[in-house]
Amino acid sequence: MTTPEEVDLGDPVAAVVETGPDAYDETPYRAFRFPETHPTRLAALARLHGLAAPDPNCARVLEFGCAGGSNLAAMARTLPTAEFHGIDLSATQIEQGRRQAIAAGLGNLRLDVADILDVDFGDARYDYMIAHGVFSWVPDPVRERLFELIRRHLAPTGIAYVSYNTLPGWSVNEAVAEMMRLEAGELADTEGRLHAARATLETFRALFDGAHGPHTELVRYELDHIGGKDAVVFLHDELEATSDPCYFLQFVEWAAEHDLRQVTDAALPTLWPNALPQQARQALARRGLSWLKAQQYLDYLQWRRFRRSVLCHAEVALDELPNPTRLDGLYVQTRLRPSGPISVAPGMPIKYRVDGLGAAGSGDVMQVTDPLIQAFMHRLWATPHHFQAFRETLDATMKDAGNAASAPGREAVLRDWVMTNLARGWMDIAATPREVSGTRLAP
Ligand SMILES: C[S@@+](CC[C@H](N)C(=O)[O-])C[C@H]1O[C@@H](n2cnc3c(N)ncnc32)[C@H](O)[C@@H]1O
């Protein structure tokens, strides 16, 4: 096996900076991957809004704070002709990631130790720039610089993805985490800090034993959520000195100061008005709110705690809402599976169950009576592990459905149905015909 030093990790674009060991050197983060950051997903979302995002197959992709590069490695495997570059402050994590990349034969993945604050990318332009789980955990100057780097190095029609903890939803988590930090923050050794924090959590849990009421449920949910975290994630997410959630509109304004704008959110289940009940959509429309402002109101009402903003250059022309006619040229896949025998009699209802362990809506059942939609679903779930070309599937469906497809407006009904199910998180889209990854987007 070759050593990391012997491997060609690409052109020396990033300056490798000297940094001292940090918390992530002592305890490396868990190796996660985030399908919602995949360029094929980001490109598809952008295209629905009218932005011709770069071809993922030959894209240059950068991830800030990539830890050991697990997310990049997963994407580099599925897009072998694209180039992936990750930077992280922690030399230990980068070293681990490099070894794994070499072992996996990933010649299109390069990992560098670098600080967002002073990294120099030269003239490099990236088609996709990702910062997952970084923005809310770093001080303001780092966030400021993150936006500067995105503005300077994002290709003209490129896409950036930045996730962050949002208010008001994160506030309960923050309150619990602050109390644990008060108890554990002063302790020098990691084991001691973990022990003190867990003990604090148990004390709080006991306070709520047998109690009821909306506030109790809210706090109990948070205590269970935090208590359920694995020790490493718990250590970094809850006991980290910097944790700074913000409101959605604050983030949007901050991005705008750097000439960046929000295209959409990468979490399909909370994406568009389609996810809302009809009455709620009408109520919003009556208020005449922009979708941007409406999203902030929804964050307040739904107590939203996390966002995945998809950004582009401010001067790029965009549709505020996604356009169903732009599904043409994209690929779709469904998590809906028939939950019983399929009746051959046209018009008889077919029940579908939402598949996917732990994912949004798992186990939910929906009933479909429209033969056109039944025919479409029949084609989609015939190859459940692949994304299928929407336009071709639609054309074939229109033929399969015969009379059920002949009335005017039927195609639009089907397109709307797909958009609604994308927004529910029961379908997924991609800009290339990728395979379905094992990991699904959590709510
Ligand atoms: C919470 S972890 C998230 C890791 C990974 N992105 C994820 O979501 O699983 C934050 C990462 O950001 C890195 N980081 C923090 N400050 C940084 C900086 N100024 N420059 C580069 N990386 C930084 C840390 O070393 C750590 O690996």
Side-chain angles (χ1 to χ4, degrees):
M1 199 174 85
T2 50
T3 65
E5 288 71 32
E6 289 166 333
V7 168
D8 177 11
L9 291 168
D11 296 327
V13 179
V16 176
V17 295
E18 291 295 322
T19 54
D22 71 357
Y24 291 92
D25 284 324
E26 195 189 326
T27 315
Y29 207 61
R30 283 272 176 260
F32 291 122
R33 58 196 177 118
F34 305 99
E36 66 271 31
T37 66
H38 201 289
T40 58
R41 160 69 90 73
L42 297 177
L45 290 176
R47 289 178 195 177
L48 280 177
H49 287 263
L51 198 171
D55 179 359
N57 285 311
C58 49
R60 294 193 74 188
V61 183
L62 176 84
E63 184 170 348
F64 298 98
C66 66
S70 48
N71 187 41
L72 286 173
M75 299 193 288
R77 231 172 264 130
T78 57
L79 290 174
T81 49
E83 284 175 40
F84 293 84
H85 184 191
I87 65 158
D88 200 285
L89 201 53
S90 154
T92 306
Q93 296 188 117
I94 290 292
E95 190 56 30
Q96 284 177 355
R98 282 180 174 175
R99 284 210 197 92
Q100 282 158 4
I102 293 158
L106 292 174
N108 59 340
L109 171 60
R110 171 186 173 185
L111 301 173
D112 285 317
V113 181
D115 189 336
I116 292 168
L117 268 180
D118 56 14
V119 64
D120 179 1
F121 293 121
D123 296 330
R125 286 289 186 126
Y126 293 95
D127 300 306
Y128 296 89
M129 298 177 91
I130 299 162
H132 185 94
V134 177
F135 191 84
S136 296
W137 309 107
V138 291
D140 276 357
V142 181
R143 307 209 257 190
E144 191 73 29
R145 174 99 167 113
L146 185 73
F147 279 134
E148 277 169 27
L149 290 170
I150 292 174
R151 174 66 196 177
R152 194 178 312 155
H153 295 283
L154 187 67
T157 57
I159 298 294
Y161 165 108
V162 181
S163 72
Y164 48 100
N165 305 331
T166 46
L167 295 170
W170 196 265
S171 57
V172 185
N173 180 300
E174 197 55 25
V176 175
E178 270 175 29
M179 288 190 285
M180 289 193 296
R181 286 197 287 270
L182 280 177
E183 284 296 305
E186 299 291 300
L187 302 172
D189 76 301
T190 305
E191 277 306 313
R193 276 212 309 281
L194 268 177
H195 184 76
R198 293 259 192 227
T200 313
L201 205 60
E202 285 317 309
T203 309
F204 296 149
R205 252 202 252 264
L207 284 177
F208 286 93
D209 268 353
H212 297 288
H215 174 72
T216 305
E217 294 311 322
L218 194 64
V219 178
R220 188 180 282 135
Y221 168 83
E222 210 60 62
L223 293 172
D224 287 348
H225 176 74
I226 293 175
K229 285 188 178 180
D230 133 298
V232 168
V233 176
F234 181 82
L235 185 71
H236 287 298
D237 288 5
E238 264 59 53
L239 301 184
E240 209 78 336
T242 308
S243 163
D244 202 355
C246 63
Y247 286 96
F248 167 63
L249 281 184
Q250 280 178 327
F251 178 87
V252 168
E253 273 171 35
W254 202 348
E257 284 167 19
H258 294 271
D259 295 322
L260 297 167
R261 67 185 286 196
Q262 157 112 355
V263 181
T264 183
D265 194 284
L268 293 179
T270 51
L271 194 52
W272 306 307
N274 300 58
L276 299 171
Q278 188 65 19
Q279 281 156 310
R281 274 199 250 177
Q282 286 164 351
L284 277 179
R286 273 198 303 276
R287 299 271 306 138
L289 294 174
S290 73
W291 179 229
L292 212 57
K293 207 164 183 186
Q295 285 180 80
Q296 178 61 75
Y297 288 159
L298 290 171
D299 278 14
Y300 282 121
L301 297 172
Q302 296 171 341
W303 207 246
R304 186 154 175 176
R305 50 187 294 143
F306 191 63
R307 272 192 169 268
R308 304 161 171 93
S309 280
V310 177
L311 304 171
C312 69
H313 286 292
E315 57 275 18
V316 172
L318 277 183
D319 291 342
E320 190 179 38
L321 293 178
N323 184 335
T325 62
R326 299 213 178 90
L327 284 167
D328 295 349
L330 299 178
Y331 295 78
V332 292
Q333 181 268 337
T334 182
R335 289 173 52 209
L336 295 165
R337 304 272 174 273
S339 68
I342 294 179
S343 164
V344 283
M348 288 298 285
I350 299 179
K351 280 187 181 164
Y352 294 92
R353 190 174 37 80
V354 182
D355 202 14
L357 209 59
S362 293
D364 286 3
V365 174
M366 81 176 317
Q367 188 162 289
V368 175
T369 46
D370 184 334
L372 178 66
I373 293 171
Q374 289 178 348
F376 183 74
M377 288 301 292
H378 194 72
R379 288 213 159 251
L380 275 197
W381 61 256
T383 55
H385 299 297
H386 288 86
F387 282 76
Q388 293 189 28
F390 175 79
R391 180 74 243 183
E392 284 163 26
T393 312
L394 175 76
D395 289 344
T397 300
M398 297 303 270
K399 280 198 193 120
D400 294 346
N403 285 346
S406 59
R410 298 297 289 143
E411 189 180 308
V413 167
L414 183 50
R415 284 178 189 275
D416 266 355
W417 189 82
V418 170
M419 296 299 276
T420 299
N421 284 290
L422 283 171
R424 283 177 177 156
W426 293 357
M427 298 182 96
D428 203 353
I429 41 169
T432 60
R434 59 187 278 223
E435 285 211 1
V436 178
S437 81
T439 316
R440 301 243 178 225
L441 183 60

